Structures are given as C-alpha cells and as structure tokens.
Amino acid sequence: TGLDNSYPRELTAIDTDGDGESDALYFNAYVQADVEELWMSDGTSAGTVMVKDIYIGNQGGNPTELTLIDNTLYFKAHEGTNGYELWKSDGTAAGTVMVKDINSGGNSYPGSLTACSTLYFIADDGDGYELWKSDGTNAGTVMVEDIHTVGGTISVYGSNMMCLGSTLFFVVIDNNSFE
C-alpha cells in the first residue's frame, strides 16, 4: 500500500455493508513526510486506499478528529485555500467534501467533534470559539448559541463534551470559573 512508516492513527470503524457489523476502518496516515491524508481499509492490502488527496501537492490535509455518525465521517482538515474547516466523507473521493467554510479567510479549527444524534463541535467563526452543530449540510451547520456575546470565547477541555441520550453536556470556562 506504500504506507511504510505512515503512523496510522484515529482508527474509526465503519459498517460499509449495513449489516450492523464493522467491516472497514477510516484512519489518517502519512503519505510522505509532513503529508497526512484520509485513508480507508477493509483489512486487506488491496483494500487499503487513500480516500482523497485533500491538500494536493507536497502538503497534507491533516484530517483529525475523525467522528462517525450514520456512516458519514466528519473531521477537521484543510485543502490549502480555506484553512482548517469541517469536512465529511462517505468513503469516496467525490463524497469527501468541506461541509462549510465557517471562518471565511481564516481557520475555524473545529474541535471536540462529538456525535449526539447530530454532530456538535467547537469552532471559531472569526469572532471567537463557540458551540456549533451540523447535519452535514452547509445550511445545517450553525452556531448553537453565542455564549460569549461580547468578544469572548468558550473553551472546552478536549474530550469534555459528552452525549447522554440525546443531551449534550460540556464544560465552559467563563471568567476563570467552570459552568
């Protein structure tokens, strides 16, 4: 597969045939030094392929935060023009696309992607980090609430977003206190 010393990580199981059992993996791996892209494998050498060269050339799309909802993979990546933004993939090159350019002209750095019947994440629209959600469409990717309305930002500690049933719980830091 040409993946010697590729350091595959963020292995995310997927059920490609709909039988309720995982039969493939998404993961990110280095194609060459400093060039990291999204891959998929069915466990065989022939079935291990790069899904898409997101950032064409001697750069890498650097897909991270791989999160699966209903066989759609969501992740953070950049393609060289729009910065780090929210992406999704159905396992095909054509179906691997940016969901929304949240911070036009900058990086939104979507993080803490959490599956909770919909996708929740933290992103910067250019006016600070806030809580967002996405249904996988441009129009359906929206800020949940502007928690800090006066130029502030929220801070969510890494994996401290959790779904319980259909309720999202998360930690917000405000004026050096936890809420």
Side-chain angles (χ1 to χ4, degrees):
T1 61
L3 287 177
D4 295 337
N5 298 318
S6 62
Y7 303 105
R9 58 201 175 286
E10 296 200 40
L11 280 67
T12 305
I14 184 171
D15 173 15
T16 60
D17 59 13
D19 68 358
E21 296 181 19
S22 299
D23 54 9
L25 291 173
Y26 283 113
F27 60 97
N28 57 15
Y30 287 97
V31 180
Q32 62 189 40
D34 299 324
V35 178
E36 186 177 2
E37 293 293 354
L38 180 64
W39 288 73
M40 184 178 216
S41 178
D42 65 4
T44 68
S45 182
T48 302
V49 296
M50 186 185 335
V51 175
K52 182 174 185 169
D53 187 356
I54 295 168
Y55 193 142
I56 298 171
N58 290 329
Q59 301 290 322
N62 301 320
T64 58
E65 302 260 352
L66 278 58
T67 305
L68 193 68
I69 299 178
D70 296 330
N71 282 343
T72 298
L73 182 75
Y74 294 91
F75 56 97
K76 170 179 70 176
H78 72 100
E79 35 61 286
T81 302
N82 296 298
Y84 283 96
E85 296 294 346
L86 182 66
W87 284 66
K88 69 177 181 179
S89 179
D90 65 2
T92 67
T96 302
V97 296
M98 184 179 2
V99 175
K100 183 171 188 161
D101 185 6
I102 293 168
N103 188 348
S104 183
N107 296 292
S108 72
Y109 293 116
S112 298
L113 276 65
T114 305
C116 192
S117 70
T118 190
L119 179 72
Y120 287 93
F121 59 99
I122 303 301
D124 179 4
D125 65 356
D127 195 29
Y129 286 90
E130 296 288 353
L131 180 64
W132 287 70
K133 68 179 181 177
S134 179
D135 66 1
T137 66
N138 186 311
T141 302
V142 296
M143 184 186 305
V144 174
E145 184 175 344
D146 190 355
I147 296 170
H148 289 277
T149 57
V150 186
T153 64
I154 65 173
S155 196
V156 173
Y157 285 129
S159 62
N160 284 338
M161 285 178 55
M162 177 155 298
C163 184
L164 183 59
S166 60
T167 302
L168 178 73
F169 291 89
F170 59 100
V171 176
V172 174
I173 298 175
D174 182 26
N175 297 327
N176 298 319
S177 66
F178 292 99
E179 294 181 3

